[in-house]
Amino acid sequence: QVQLVESGGGLVQAGGSLRLSCAASGRAFSIFAMGWFRQAPGKEREFVAARSRSGGRSYYADSVKGRFTISRDNAKNTVYLQMNSLKPEDTAVYYCAATSDYSGDVYYTRLNEYDYWGQGTQVTVSS
C-alpha cells in the first residue's frame, strides 16, 4: 500500500503559476512510476503528465506541453507538478497517482494503469 497526499492547489489568475506536490508514504517511493491527472466539472478524469520510476522519462498531454513540468525527488518521496502560464481551462481537481513498475524506465498515461490515487487538490484559474 501507498498513501498519496496532494497539496499546493489554489486560486490563481490566468498567466500565473502554481506548483503542486504529492507526498507518498507507506512503501518505497522509488519503485513507483508517477502521474498527474485532472478532472474538470462535468468532464472525465484526464491524463496530464507522467514520470518514470527513475525520473529519466516524462510525458505530457498536448494541452499542457511546454507549460507544465513533472519532476520527482525520490529522497523526499515526492512528485511535483510545476504549472506555468495557467489558463482558465486548466481549472480542475488535480490528482496524483502511483503504480508499481518493475519493468524499467517506463511512464504510464492511462487511468487504469495506476493502482493508487491521492484525494485531489483544487486548481482554479480566473480569467
Side-chain angles (χ1 to χ4, degrees), residues 2 4 11-12 16 20 28 35 46-48 52 54 74 81 87 97-98 102 105 114 124 127:
V2 63
L4 303 174
L11 174 64
V12 64
L20 306 183
E46 64 175 6
F47 169 76
V48 175
S52 62
S54 71
N74 285 353
L81 185 68
K87 304 174 181 180
Y102 300 100
D105 212 11
Y114 286 88
T124 303
S127 57

Side-chain angles (χ1 to χ4, degrees), residues 1-7 21-34 36 72-80 96-99 116-118:
Q1 290 288 338
V2 63
Q3 293 76 45
L4 303 174
V5 179
E6 302 98 335
S7 61
S21 300
C22 174
S25 62
R27 288 188 65 184
F29 180 69
S30 60
I31 71 169
F32 293 101
M34 302 297 296
W36 285 96
R72 64 187 293 163
D73 185 336
N74 285 353
K76 295 183 178 180
N77 292 352
T78 301
V79 64
Y80 304 96
C96 75
T99 186
Y116 305 101
W117 293 84

Side-chain angles (χ1 to χ4, degrees), residues 2 15-16 43-44 47 50 54-55 60 76 84 86-87 89 91 96 99-100 103 109 112 121 126-127:
V2 63
K43 295 187 177 181
E44 295 185 349
F47 169 76
S54 71
Y60 299 90
K76 295 183 178 180
N84 298 329
L86 282 160
K87 304 174 181 180
E89 50 264 44
T91 296
C96 75
T99 186
S100 303
S103 62
T109 62
N112 61 6
T121 185
S126 63
S127 57

